[in-house]
Amino acid sequence: MDRVVHPIEQESFRRLRARLDTSHFPPLTRAVVERVIHSAADLDYASDLVMDEGRLEKAHAALHAGAPVVVDVEMVAAGITRRETVCRLRDAEAGPGLTRSAHAIRLAYEQVGPGALWVIGNAPTALEELLILDVSPALVIGLPVGFVGAAESKAALRESGLPAVSNVSEKGGSAVAAAALNALLYHPLSPSEETS
């Protein structure tokens, strides 16, 4: 993806790297960590985020091969500016034992099927619903924020064994979830990915 980086963004990343050594992270992990930190100006994400480089490589390949990207809220979609996303929250309805966010995840899965990248930055109940469904994702970026259910839903994501980016604490949100996806979207293809 050809992308012109604004001088302010370049300077922001220079300052980030001056304050935090990220050189020990593998390439995609480093990209996600740095872009999430950049989006939140929060260096603590370096030790709070949890992901696996091998799984990020597979998700990166799937993303660049055109796998659908599903988001839980329009705020996440707004942060992903160089890729179409699926968000079904406007079509969803709450019901007994089912939040609107959870229903939106059901509707999105009916639309996209397996193999999508799921970006959850707002609603823990959306992540919980995703874990109930057998979505066979390329990746789940599970970074919902909040004091009720956020840390627990992310712990359940890590325990599920699904390929994921999550964090341990209660923090997260739309901006950091979009940033994690953008890190994969902006990262260049390796020579082996370009020829496959």
Side-chain angles (χ1 to χ4, degrees), residues 126-145:
L127 184 53
E128 291 164 1
E129 186 65 23
L130 184 65
L131 295 175
I132 293 169
L133 300 172
D134 184 19
V135 299
S136 300
L139 184 70
V140 178
I141 296 174
L143 294 168
V145 62

Side-chain angles (χ1 to χ4, degrees), residues 41-64:
D42 186 345
L43 298 173
D44 290 341
Y45 273 110
S47 58
D48 191 40
L49 287 164
V50 179
M51 65 199 98
D52 174 78
E53 184 72 8
R55 289 179 158 195
L56 289 180
E57 289 170 357
K58 291 178 182 173
H60 181 260
L63 178 64
H64 287 274

Side-chain angles (χ1 to χ4, degrees), residues 20-32:
L20 178 72
D21 180 10
T22 59
S23 63
H24 63 283
F25 289 117
L28 289 170
T29 300
R30 181 181 185 186
V32 172

Side-chain angles (χ1 to χ4, degrees), residues 9-39:
E9 182 178 339
Q10 290 176 339
E11 177 61 13
S12 180
F13 274 86
R14 187 197 67 75
R15 291 183 187 192
L16 182 163
R17 291 173 184 142
R19 293 176 63 183
L20 178 72
D21 180 10
T22 59
S23 63
H24 63 283
F25 289 117
L28 289 170
T29 300
R30 181 181 185 186
V32 172
V33 168
E34 288 184 348
R35 193 147 293 277
V36 166
I37 289 171
H38 173 259
S39 74

